Amino acid sequence: MKFNTKTIHGGQHNIDPAYGAVMPPIYQTSTYSQTSPGAHKGFEYSRSANPTRTALENSLASIENGKFGLAFGSGLAAIDAVLKLLKPGDEVISTNDLYGGSYRLFTSIFEDLGIKFHFVGMENTKAVEAKINSNTKLIWAETPTNPMMNVIDIEALAKLSKKHNLLLAVDNTFATAYLQQPLNLGADLVMHSATKYLGGHSDVVMGSLVVKDKALADKLYFIQNASGAIAGPMDSFLVLRGIKTLHLRMQRHSENGRAVAEYLNTHPKVEKVYWPGLENHPNHAIAKKQMKDFGGMVSFTTKGNNYEDAIKFTEKVKVFTLAESLGGVESLAGHPASMTHASIPKEEREKTGVVDSLIRLSVGIEDETDLIEDLKQALG
Ligand SMILES: Cc1ncc(COP(=O)(O)O)c(C=O)c1O
């Protein structure tokens, strides 16, 4: 089955044996009747499994070309489940530019539980290898990174992780399975904040994991059930519906992303544009190799690196909405230093490029001319 068919039909068999509904019903139930203790129709309690969530988990596995999908109450809950595979004394190598909430989870929760984290620029595979020691268990990659849009060579990292017998996890939130399929490139695990492009309509918070290996899936399923941070049936329905148009939306996000990046790239007040589709992007070659297109996430800085100018821009936009999050049909603008990445100390974030004037745009699927007009007036 091709990707554009998988988004609609992938993993969807025998959806509604009761009435033949084309969409999986929202099974808004916590429990299921049994005819005798342990005799049931495959579902006994909705923390362990729920038919609407199962339909979504099968769809997730299908679009990522994996075998097992798991849906969680948020992206961070999904990351939390992965980290629970580790034991005190284990070490993790992570991208140095990553979502601020992931950084907070690593350094404020799991570091206290005895896990050690190394943050490195993963565009350089040698820098990753230099941090590997006998305690290293997991490589955590985010690509493109949030918000600097660095692109990491997944295939090179997969070779490295296999050589050292490590687990390679890729946060695929920005690219989605439409643009990039980490499992095909050798990663062991792919993670999503499904809140973003998978849901696609800014109306749900959810996370997901997809793996190929049964033993790894079993461990993660155990954690999902034992810790209980599951996705609810209504949210599962919404993300399943979102995935059905993922291929169409990502195509338009990428087209509009290009238009916005190219416009900003020629604007006299703009210092630098970060979008992997631009030929002057330092990782353009690897982006071209591992991604189908370059997506709708665009970051930029303004000349003079002035905090107040950035704030003024965010207050002036009209079609773009100033808001946290990304990946919905509507265009959003954010100021990472004071919003999504405020939990990262200033010295740390500035090392990776998250300076005061940095603006991150989630370019939506509106008409491109309205988006450019809006940027023009706000920058003016
Ligand atoms: C790249 C990335 N990973 C993970 C997360 C966390 O996901 P959630 O907000 O669904 O918990 C986010 C949220 O913005 C993100 O952008």
Side-chain angles (χ1 to χ4, degrees):
M1 209 185 266
K2 297 278 191 291
F3 185 82
N4 296 351
T5 310
K6 279 185 176 179
T7 56
I8 297 161
H9 299 291
Q12 308 303 298
H13 324 285
N14 197 20
I15 296 164
D16 175 27
Y19 300 109
V22 168
M23 270 305 281
I26 303 164
Y27 284 93
Q28 196 71 47
T29 184
S30 60
T31 192
Y32 306 81
S33 67
Q34 308 191 9
T35 48
S36 175
H40 51 74
K41 294 181 175 160
F43 296 91
E44 47 190 336
Y45 185 59
S46 280
R47 174 162 34 73
S48 312
N50 169 285
T52 318
R53 194 175 90 223
T54 301
L56 169 67
E57 291 176 331
N58 291 341
S59 164
L60 290 164
S62 168
I63 60 167
E64 283 289 0
N65 215 18
K67 288 209 174 103
F68 307 95
L70 297 115
F72 293 83
S74 71
L76 284 177
I79 303 175
D80 178 84
V82 177
L83 294 173
K84 283 177 177 157
L85 294 167
L86 305 176
K87 301 271 178 296
D90 287 349
E91 298 192 12
V92 179
I93 305 172
S94 163
T95 8
N96 60 355
D97 177 46
L98 84 162
Y99 171 58
S102 309
Y103 179 86
R104 182 178 54 200
L105 178 67
F106 295 171
T107 56
S108 302
I109 308 259
F110 282 93
E111 218 155 67
D112 286 351
L113 297 174
I115 314 286
K116 190 168 174 188
F117 293 87
H118 302 272
F119 296 95
V120 301
M122 282 194 178
E123 308 77 65
N124 176 3
T125 313
K126 287 208 168 67
V128 181
E129 188 154 29
K131 292 284 178 200
I132 296 176
N133 63 45
S134 57
N135 294 325
T136 312
K137 295 285 165 4
L138 171 70
I139 297 182
W140 184 268
E142 193 180 289
T143 181
T145 61
N146 181 0
M148 298 311 298
M149 307 303 297
N150 300 319
V151 178
I152 294 160
D153 186 339
I154 299 173
E155 214 166 7
L157 271 192
K159 279 193 190 125
L160 189 65
S161 66
K162 294 229 167 10
K163 181 173 148 198
H164 294 274
N165 200 22
L166 310 175
L167 200 64
L168 172 62
V170 177
D171 182 336
N172 204 25
T173 300
F174 271 30
T176 80
Y178 175 79
L179 295 177
Q180 148 185 302
Q181 300 192 327
L183 298 181
N184 285 359
L185 298 169
D188 301 293
L189 190 155
V190 57
M191 174 267 156
H192 274 274
S193 167
T195 313
K196 310 299 177 343
Y197 288 106
L198 298 187
H201 297 75
S202 306
D203 51 10
V204 64
V205 174
M206 192 194 284
S208 70
L209 301 176
V210 177
V211 301
K212 277 189 167 162
D213 180 66
K214 169 89 168 69
L216 180 58
D218 286 348
K219 281 187 203 164
L220 290 166
Y221 173 71
F222 178 83
I223 293 167
Q224 184 195 38
N225 185 43
S227 289
I230 47 143
M234 178 69 194
D235 289 352
S236 297
F237 174 87
L238 287 172
V239 173
L240 191 58
R241 185 171 69 164
I243 289 173
K244 286 176 191 285
T245 55
L246 180 67
H247 49 304
L248 298 176
R249 289 185 286 107
M250 290 312 292
Q251 200 178 328
R252 178 63 81 86
H253 280 298
S254 298
E255 285 164 15
N256 284 357
R258 174 174 293 283
V260 163
E262 286 177 352
Y263 171 73
L264 291 172
N265 209 26
T266 58
H267 197 286
K269 287 190 180 169
V270 171
E271 176 79 40
K272 207 152 187 240
V273 182
Y274 301 89
W275 185 69
L278 290 176
E279 281 184 9
N280 65 5
H281 185 286
N283 316 126
H284 178 65
I286 183 66
K288 227 168 129 182
K289 187 174 142 224
Q290 75 184 17
M291 297 173 75
K292 186 170 176 174
D293 205 332
F294 306 100
M297 295 304 299
V298 182
S299 297
F300 70 97
T301 53
T302 44
K303 287 190 177 140
N305 189 29
N306 191 316
Y307 186 91
E308 284 71 32
D309 282 352
I311 300 300
K312 218 184 280 174
F313 171 86
T314 61
E315 289 169 354
K316 290 221 166 205
V317 282
K318 293 195 177 86
V319 181
F320 283 82
T321 302
L322 171 62
E324 303 263 358
S325 203
L326 61 110
V329 290
E330 62 288 299
S331 290
L332 302 180
H335 181 239
S338 63
M339 297 167 74
T340 46
H341 290 63
S343 58
I344 303 180
K346 186 172 158 71
E347 322 80 69
E348 280 304 311
R349 66 170 165 80
E350 289 198 337
K351 272 190 223 158
T352 61
V354 185
V355 295
D356 285 349
S357 76
L358 185 80
I359 299 286
R360 191 192 73 181
L361 302 175
S362 169
V363 181
I365 62 171
E366 300 94 336
D367 193 286
E368 122 189 3
T369 50
D370 289 327
L371 298 177
I372 304 290
E373 273 308 306
D374 195 33
L375 293 173
K376 194 191 260 177
Q377 67 78 22
L379 280 165

